[in-house]
Amino acid sequence: MESNKNYKILITGGAGFIGSHVVRRFVTSYPEYTIVNLDKLTYAGNLENLCDVEKMPNYQFIKGDITNVTFINSLFNNHEFDAVIHLAAESHVDRSILDPSSFVTTNVFGTVNLLNAALAIWKDHFDNKLFYHISTDEVYGSLSDSAYFTETTSYDPKSPYSASKAGSDHFVRAYENTYALPIVISNCSNNYGPYQFPEKLVPLMIHNIRNNKLLPVYGKGENIRDWLYVKDHAAAIDHVFHRGRKGETYNIGGFNEWKNIDIVRLLCGIMDDKLHRPSGTSEKLIEFVKDRPGHDMRYAIDATKISNELKWNTSVTFEQGLEITVEWYLENKAWLDRVTSGAYKTYYDNQYKNR
Ligand code: NAD
Ligand code: TYD
């Protein structure tokens, strides 16, 4: 998409973790754009994540469900969207193991519902229109050797979450192939940073360390993830949106692989320091628990294409990003306390009771 236009952009899932960073970046960097944030506000969606931009004149929030056909059609009829950046999803692997169907409904059907609405409204006038689908590296499956996921790696999803994201990616590509809908897809590695819901590894460990709770490491902690600071992902999304070639896939990652146990130990050290606890205090909280069923061993992204073609690169090292993240969670204790009250407790007790 060319910049300097008065685009109206629909961002779905903008009240979630990554979505809130994308909304903030677009609202503040492009005052000429109108950003409409559509979010159902599930347990993972939180308007507090956006209180610094909610009064901006080029920002609008709409509460709604991407799976509601009538609602989505009338939304597209009432707004002349030039583009969609689609992030709304059920996003947590452990929850997908407990309840796969809701992942099919939101991630597959919700995406198809948006594709249908965009197609109907844009019809054959596809100039300067874009459906940008945000996906994950987990669609490629699990690596056991030193290989990397590239844009041509075959899909081999292994969890209900990754299967549902793979399904949504296939539909997005099918709409390009069948109807010439202008699309682009990016597949990113694990994100961390401010505003992440504490069901995911990094904020869960920060929350538990702060509260002197056990740190549940699945299996032997040997599984490897490739970590990216969330603001670098938002910057990559900006690059793909403005400079990506239509129909293409871009893998996003920071060449930053870590074993889970090493991250947990690193976090323990940072937290001991910040909380003025004697070195080694938090590590004593580590507990190896029953492994996740079908736990993918390793993810690793080859981000050469986006780096060479779109000139995107990371802006912080992992150590810097983690330090900023820990500081943010310590300074935003009230945010963390609020999101971990109520339904979070039920989820946590259920998820970790037999581990
Ligand atoms: P998140 O769970 O923090 O946020 C998801 C948002 O979607 C929430 O605000 C939620 O309210 C909203 N939502 C859920 N169902 C909805 C529905 N039916 N209608 C409207 N809104 C709905 O997720 P996240 O971590 O910010 O991930 C965002 C996207 O990025 C997802 O598509 C995810 O698959 C993808 N992704 C995430 C990561 C990661 O590490 N978190 C990595 C790569 C890709
Ligand atoms: P997670 O943050 O759930 O992301 P994903 O499963 O999408 O990669 O988990 C990251 C890694 O941390 C993954 O290998 C599972 C592991 N993990 C634990 O060991 N303990 C936990 O309590 C959680 C939530 C995750």
Side-chain angles (χ1 to χ4, degrees):
M1 299 288 280
E2 297 166 32
S3 43
N4 306 320
K5 303 261 179 182
N6 296 321
Y7 293 133
K8 191 168 201 180
I9 304 171
L10 175 68
I11 300 186
T12 70
F17 165 49
I18 301 170
S20 62
H21 288 278
V22 175
V23 166
R24 180 174 298 100
R25 184 177 174 104
F26 274 73
V27 167
T28 54
S29 309
Y30 304 102
E32 68 277 24
Y33 294 173
T34 301
I35 303 300
V36 177
N37 170 15
L38 168 69
D39 200 296
K40 185 181 171 184
L41 300 181
T42 67
Y43 77 93
N46 186 350
L47 286 179
E48 265 188 75
N49 299 0
L50 287 165
C51 48
D52 54 328
V53 297
E54 69 188 4
K55 298 226 158 56
M56 302 278 278
N58 63 335
Y59 171 70
Q60 187 187 352
F61 172 71
I62 296 175
K63 184 171 189 288
D65 188 335
I66 58 165
T67 69
N68 183 328
V69 177
T70 317
F71 165 73
I72 290 294
N73 284 334
S74 70
L75 183 79
F76 276 75
N77 277 318
N78 294 337
H79 296 261
E80 286 179 18
F81 296 125
D82 298 290
V84 177
I85 305 179
H86 175 36
L87 296 108
E90 289 293 339
S91 68
H92 190 39
V93 173
D94 290 325
R95 286 185 192 256
S96 82
I97 294 167
L98 297 172
D99 176 22
S101 301
S102 61
F103 283 67
V104 178
T105 307
T106 298
N107 298 357
V108 183
F109 181 70
T111 301
V112 172
N113 196 27
L114 289 167
L115 288 166
N116 285 338
L119 191 62
I121 213 78
W122 294 339
K123 297 205 175 68
D124 293 323
H125 306 288
F126 290 144
D127 276 0
N128 252 340
K129 300 282 186 285
L130 183 67
F131 191 102
Y132 180 4
H133 180 59
I134 307 299
S135 194
T136 167
D137 60 353
E138 303 190 27
V139 298
Y140 298 121
S142 177
L143 295 163
S144 53
D145 52 21
S146 57
Y148 286 91
F149 297 136
T150 73
E151 286 79 0
T152 55
T153 302
S154 298
Y155 275 34
D156 188 17
K158 305 272 190 198
S159 74
Y161 164 65
S162 54
S164 70
K165 289 298 289 186
S168 66
D169 293 11
H170 289 320
F171 271 102
V172 173
R173 289 202 185 88
Y175 273 59
E176 193 220 9
N177 182 62
T178 311
Y179 311 110
L181 188 77
I183 63 107
V184 70
I185 301 180
S186 56
N187 296 78
C188 189
S189 61
N190 286 63
N191 285 213
Y192 69 95
Y195 300 110
Q196 188 168 31
F197 192 77
E199 63 188 354
K200 307 270 168 64
L201 182 75
V202 169
L204 185 141
M205 295 299 166
I206 294 174
H207 177 59
N208 285 13
I209 294 170
R210 202 195 79 196
N211 294 303
N212 278 308
K213 286 178 68 177
L214 289 174
L215 308 179
V217 175
Y218 298 166
K220 294 183 179 142
E222 300 276 310
N223 303 65
I224 293 170
R225 297 292 181 265
D226 184 355
W227 294 90
L228 184 70
Y229 186 52
V230 64
K231 289 188 186 175
D232 284 336
H233 187 189
I237 289 172
D238 187 338
H239 277 62
V240 172
F241 182 83
H242 289 106
R243 300 189 212 159
R245 283 180 292 136
K246 291 203 173 138
E248 291 289 315
T249 296
Y250 294 90
N251 279 358
I252 305 172
F255 292 102
N256 181 41
E257 293 178 54
W258 285 76
K259 278 186 188 167
N260 293 337
I261 185 62
D262 293 337
I263 294 197
V264 175
R265 291 206 171 107
L266 186 59
L267 277 171
C268 287
I270 298 175
M271 294 284 285
D272 281 348
D273 197 35
K274 301 270 177 216
L275 297 171
H276 310 293
R277 293 175 178 172
S279 161
T281 307
S282 302
E283 277 204 23
K284 295 195 186 105
L285 297 168
I286 292 174
E287 187 179 53
F288 293 96
V289 297
K290 195 167 135 221
D291 210 352
R292 174 187 279 173
H295 196 173
D296 286 344
M297 191 59 211
R298 171 173 167 257
Y299 305 143
I301 279 273
D302 179 348
T304 307
K305 179 175 171 181
I306 187 169
S307 167
N308 286 350
E309 197 177 306
L310 307 185
K311 310 291 173 226
W312 168 85
N313 277 302
T314 54
S315 67
V316 290
T317 64
F318 190 48
E319 285 77 2
Q320 288 167 332
L322 265 194
E323 181 107 14
I324 300 168
T325 303
V326 167
E327 271 167 19
W328 185 88
Y329 279 96
L330 292 177
E331 279 163 17
N332 290 273
K333 184 175 172 301
W335 181 94
L336 197 51
D337 287 344
R338 267 195 296 282
V339 302
T340 52
S341 63
Y344 177 84
K345 286 204 175 72
T346 316
Y347 164 76
Y348 192 91
D349 292 345
N350 187 35
Q351 173 61 21
Y352 293 94
K353 69 173 184 256
N354 295 323
R355 289 189 184 268

